[in-house]
Amino acid sequence: MASGSKKVIVAALIGNSLVAITKFIASFITGSSAMFSEAIHSVVDSGNQVLLLYGLKQSKKPASEEYPFGHGKEVYFWSFVVAILIFAVGAGISIYEGIHHILHPTPITNPIINYIVLTLAIIFEGGCWWVAMKEFKKVKGEMGYLEAVHKGKDPSLFVVFFEDSAAILGLLIALLSVILGQVTGNPYFDGIASVLIGIILATTAIWLAYETKSLLIGESARGHIVRGIRHLARGESGVAYINEVVTMQMGPEFILANLSIDFDDDLQATDIERIIVRIDQTIKLTYPNVKRVFIEAKSRVDAIASQAQPVNLGE
C-alpha cells in the first residue's frame, strides 16, 4: 500500500509541476483569470504532493521511547494540512481572482494558446488521474468510491485521487469558459469559471479534511478486522468471554488492538499467560497490520460493572 501511494504521489508531482509552468505562461500571455486560477491550483497541488511525500517518509520512522507506537499518524497529519491548503490557498485565490475579473472584466487575447495549454493539461492530469485510480481500485476492492474514502486508512492515496479528479473538472470548466468567451464575446465567463473552480476546490478540501480528521483523532480499524480479532480470541480454549475489543489505526499499516477477556476460573496464571501468547501470535499472523496487541484479564461481571459505572471527572 505504501509503495502504491508513493508511486501515485510522485506521478502527480511530476505532472502538476509541468502543467503549472505551462498554465502560468498561458495566463500571462492571454490575461485569463480562469487560466491563472488553474495555474495556482497546479502549484498548490504540487506543494501538496511534496507534503504527502514528507508525511510518508516521516511515518516510516521507527518507534522510540518518546514515540512508542511510531510515527504512523504523520501521514494523517500532513494529509489534513494538504486539505487545509487546498481550501485556503487554492480555493481562496481562485475565488478572489474570479470576483476581481467579474468586477473588472478584460477580454482574453490569444485564446488559441489557452486551448493548447488546457488540452495538454487535461492529457497530463488524465494520466496522473489514471495512475491514482488504478491504485485506488486495488485498495477499495468491492467497496464504492465514497465508501472506500470513508473507510480507507491511507489518506495519501485518496487525497491524490480526488485532488486529480477536481483538477480535471476544473480544467474542463476553464476550457468551456474560453470557448463561451470566444463565441459570445462576453468577458464575464472567465471570472465566473474562476469562481466555480474555487468552489470545487473548497468543496473537495472540506470533504477531504472531514475524512482525514477521523483518522487523525483515532479511528478504529475496519469492522471486519475487529470482528475477526474477536472471533480468533473467542476460539482459544480457556477463553470464557470476550468483554471488549478496542482498536485504533495508528497509521496506514499499523493497528493497535486492546482486548478485555474473561478467562475460565480454573486456569492457573501460567495457563493464562500461554493463552495470551497464542492469541497475540494468531492475531498478528492473521492480520499483519496489527502490530501491537494488549490483553487485559477481567471477569465479565467486573467488565459490565466498570462500563456501567459513571466516570468521576472530579469536583
Side-chain angles (χ1 to χ4, degrees), residues 235-312:
E236 285 290 337
S237 60
V239 173
Y241 186 77
I242 306 297
N243 299 314
E244 190 176 27
V245 176
V246 180
T247 62
M248 181 181 291
Q249 199 77 35
M250 303 300 294
E253 299 176 351
F254 186 165
I255 297 172
L256 169 68
N258 298 273
L259 290 78
S260 174
I261 300 177
D262 182 5
F263 294 96
D264 291 339
D265 293 336
D266 58 347
L267 293 176
Q268 300 295 318
T270 53
D271 297 326
I272 294 177
E273 289 174 358
R274 283 193 291 268
I275 295 172
I276 288 175
V277 170
R278 286 201 305 269
I279 293 174
D280 179 274
Q281 293 175 342
T282 302
I283 291 174
K284 289 178 179 178
L285 286 173
T286 307
Y287 301 104
N289 281 352
V290 179
K291 306 297 185 183
R292 300 290 295 272
V293 178
F294 295 96
I295 298 176
E296 174 189 40
K298 180 180 285 189
S299 71
R300 184 178 182 182
V301 174
D302 290 340
I304 294 174
S306 63
Q307 291 174 5
Q309 184 177 359
V311 177
N312 182 8

Side-chain angles (χ1 to χ4, degrees), residues 23 33-43 118 167 170-171 174 197:
K23 286 178 182 177
S33 170
M35 183 62 74
F36 183 78
S37 296
E38 277 298 314
I40 293 296
H41 183 180
S42 295
V43 170
L118 287 172
L171 287 168
I197 292 169

